Amino acid sequence: MPELPEVEAARRAVEEHCLNKKITKAIIANDNKVIDGGVSPSNFEAAIVGKTILAAHRKGKNLWLQLDSPPFPSFQFGMTGAVYIKGVAVTQYKRSAVKDSDEWPSKFSKFFVQFHDGLELSFTDKRRFAKVRLLKDPASVAPISELGPDALFEPMTLDQFTKSLHKKKTAIKALLLDQVVTLDFVRFLKSYISGIGNWVADEVLYQARIHPLQTASSLSKESCVALHKSINEVVQYSVEVDADSSRFPLEWLFHFRWGKKAGEVLEKAIEVGADSNQFPRMSESSNELLCLAGKKIDFITAGGRTSAYVPELQKLSGGQVAEATTKPKRTSKRKTVEGDDDESESGAEEANESGKPKKMSNPRGRGKKPATKKKTNRSDDDNDDGNSDSGSQDEVEKKPRKVTRSSSTGLSIAKAKAKAKAKAKAKAKAK
């Protein structure tokens, strides 16, 4: 789902192209699963037409537009929310993307405005887990008011970060995913970071060489320093390149975390924009990837999310080592169909961002419920098992997969590219 880098890219695009422009037309979808707060489309439209955009704000994974007078439109991106500006390239999260060849505004548009100079902006949501609200002061009400400090705009000092971690007896991955304000019973502080989602959390933990299930309070001073550094560097760099994954460093885990089988790893890396021609290899016969030093990638559940990590580099430490070796591994027996993961994960997303877990209900309004059995390209979000607990040390560990391939598989990078291209063509033809 869109995380801080993708939402910040959208905010910057709005700031660059839409400020001081007057809204002359608005179309709000009749979809009260996405259009939240009980406001009708006509009332929403009447409230913003004639107004001018003065600023675009973001906190965590939420964006809102400041008009010349309230109320203001606010966007919680959910799983597939995306901002489009006609004629302007805006980086999209892979699964959010609407093709340029599609109708405009897209059939997935939930919020559409036209400005006095003819420029047009649309907020789309394919899976209908986003929220569009009309609020007098978005920053003062949930979910934005309940978010911890923003990972980009409000970075903690190293001392604050270390002290905060050492108070938490939660698995570090779950803690990083926790977007909400929790109460320090002495000082009532906002206790954690907003804007970090699944891929960013996996990336910063990999770069800091920390196991996703390591308890935060048990982290050494050196690990705290490394994690603080990696959070700042990954967030700042991904924002600097407008969340364009093809510009991410080749040694990032990001490029290799999207599939659980070796062939899928290459295909997914290509799909998310990595330049596969630059992937270093041991040899043509083995295709062993060197960007992760030939190490295998394992997948476990941490913080209710499927988590990629490199066990040879990210090891449990302290008492958790003995605990991990003595506890029997449990495997998940829950079998899901396509789409089921999405719904349960969105519930976890809403709980993380608002602090109020919501029971999923049937969609209302004219929008259609996403098909549950339609085959889709898988990503880290598809792989999630829907478990949304807080990330205890009893998290379910899954069977490890290797990032490298045996010679019997024989799928070269060229073949992976061809397969990914063929899959994209077949998908386009089906539409």
Side-chain angles (χ1 to χ4, degrees):
M1 63 181 62
E3 301 182 23
L4 186 156
E6 291 86 2
V7 181
E8 177 62 13
R11 188 198 70 80
R12 293 186 178 194
V14 172
E15 189 174 64
E16 181 179 353
H17 298 281
C18 303
L19 293 197
N20 302 313
K21 294 185 186 292
K22 185 177 181 179
I23 299 172
T24 56
K25 178 182 179 181
I27 302 174
I28 306 300
N30 184 17
D31 183 352
N32 56 6
K33 184 176 186 291
V34 176
I35 310 301
D36 199 22
V39 60
S40 69
S42 58
N43 287 341
F44 200 132
E45 292 161 2
I48 62 175
V49 170
K51 303 287 184 67
T52 299
I53 296 180
L54 300 183
H57 302 283
R58 180 195 57 77
K59 186 162 187 178
K61 298 176 244 182
N62 292 264
L63 171 73
W64 68 100
L65 306 180
Q66 181 183 338
L67 308 180
D68 49 10
S69 65
F72 307 141
S74 172
F75 308 90
Q76 186 174 348
F77 280 53
M79 289 188 66
T80 57
V83 167
Y84 287 86
I85 302 172
K86 193 171 185 179
V88 175
V90 183
T91 301
Q92 307 298 338
Y93 181 70
K94 173 180 165 294
R95 294 176 63 201
S96 305
V98 174
K99 294 183 179 180
D100 292 338
S101 58
D102 289 353
E103 61 183 319
W104 178 267
S106 164
K107 63 182 179 181
F108 302 110
S109 178
K110 305 301 176 183
F111 173 97
F112 169 85
V113 292
Q114 185 180 71
F115 299 103
H116 69 277
D117 61 354
L119 188 68
E120 296 174 343
L121 177 149
S122 174
F123 177 84
T124 66
D125 180 24
K126 286 184 175 182
R127 298 292 183 90
R128 300 176 67 237
F129 289 119
K131 297 294 179 187
V132 179
R133 301 177 175 96
L134 188 64
L135 303 169
K136 184 176 181 180
D137 182 8
S140 68
V141 297
I144 298 171
S145 65
E146 297 182 343
L147 296 176
D150 185 82
L152 179 67
F153 294 146
E154 306 165 286
M156 293 183 187
T157 65
L158 177 58
D159 186 57
Q160 290 172 330
F161 184 72
T162 302
K163 287 180 178 178
S164 179
L165 284 178
H166 286 164
K167 293 177 182 178
K168 306 295 181 183
K169 295 183 178 180
T170 305
I172 185 61
K173 170 74 182 279
L175 184 61
L176 292 176
L177 293 178
D178 183 10
Q179 307 292 296
V180 303
V181 175
T182 57
L183 298 181
D184 179 309
F185 290 102
V186 177
R187 290 172 290 177
F188 298 96
L189 296 177
K190 291 184 175 181
S191 66
Y192 238 74
I193 304 169
S194 63
I196 295 180
N198 205 28
W199 81 254
V200 173
D202 282 354
E203 189 65 53
V204 300
L205 290 173
Y206 166 68
Q207 293 192 21
R209 302 301 192 251
I210 297 172
H211 194 289
L213 299 182
Q214 186 72 42
T215 303
S217 61
S218 70
L219 290 173
S220 67
K221 182 179 179 180
E222 293 74 19
S223 291
C224 292
V225 171
L227 183 56
H228 183 264
K229 181 175 182 285
S230 67
I231 289 173
N232 289 336
E233 289 182 349
V234 168
V235 169
Q236 290 172 11
Y237 186 86
S238 56
V239 166
E240 284 174 10
V241 299
D242 290 327
D244 181 354
S245 61
S246 67
R247 297 166 67 188
F248 291 173
L250 284 176
E251 64 269 20
W252 278 20
L253 178 66
F254 177 92
H255 297 298
F256 306 96
R257 65 180 299 281
W258 302 92
K260 290 188 178 181
K261 294 179 181 178
E264 290 177 0
V265 168
L266 279 180
E267 290 170 39
K268 294 300 179 183
I270 294 165
E271 287 177 20
V272 299
D275 183 357
S276 61
N277 292 321
Q278 298 183 49
F279 291 165
R281 292 170 290 175
M282 287 284 286
S283 68
E284 286 293 335
S285 59
S286 68
N287 285 322
E288 186 170 292
L289 303 174
L290 290 176
C291 61
L292 295 180
K295 312 296 184 184
K296 67 180 179 181
I297 297 176
D298 281 3
F299 296 86
I300 58 174
T301 300
R305 305 290 299 278
T306 295
S307 304
Y309 80 114
V310 180
E312 291 181 66
L313 302 177
Q314 296 168 261
K315 299 179 180 180
L316 287 169
S317 63
Q320 290 183 257
V321 177
E323 186 179 350
T325 56
T326 57
K327 278 189 178 181
K329 290 186 179 181
R330 295 178 293 127
T331 56
S332 175
K333 294 182 180 180
R334 180 175 179 267
K335 185 175 181 180
T336 61
V337 294
E338 296 288 346
D340 184 44
D341 293 358
D342 300 325
E343 189 163 321
S344 58
E345 180 178 297
S346 179
E349 163 82 3
E350 292 185 17
N352 277 342
E353 295 215 356
S354 69
K356 299 171 184 176
K358 299 180 181 180
K359 182 178 180 181
M360 302 306 299
S361 57
N362 290 330
R364 296 172 293 168
R366 294 182 185 174
K368 295 181 180 179
K369 182 177 180 180
T372 58
K373 294 186 179 180
K374 184 178 179 181
K375 186 174 182 180
T376 60
N377 287 333
R378 298 185 67 81
S379 73
D380 68 310
D381 296 320
D382 292 309
N383 293 332
D384 295 342
D385 67 358
N387 183 357
S388 60
D389 57 40
S390 62
S392 69
Q393 305 319 305
D394 293 326
E395 301 274 15
V396 179
E397 293 216 8
K398 298 185 178 179
K399 186 176 180 180
R401 275 87 169 177
K402 288 187 177 181
V403 70
T404 57
R405 288 183 301 281
S406 65
S407 57
S408 61
T409 304
L411 181 62
S412 66
I413 289 176
K415 288 182 179 179
K417 288 178 70 175
K419 191 171 181 180
K421 188 175 180 180
K423 187 186 293 184
K425 283 185 177 180
K427 193 175 178 183
K429 188 176 181 180
K431 289 186 176 181

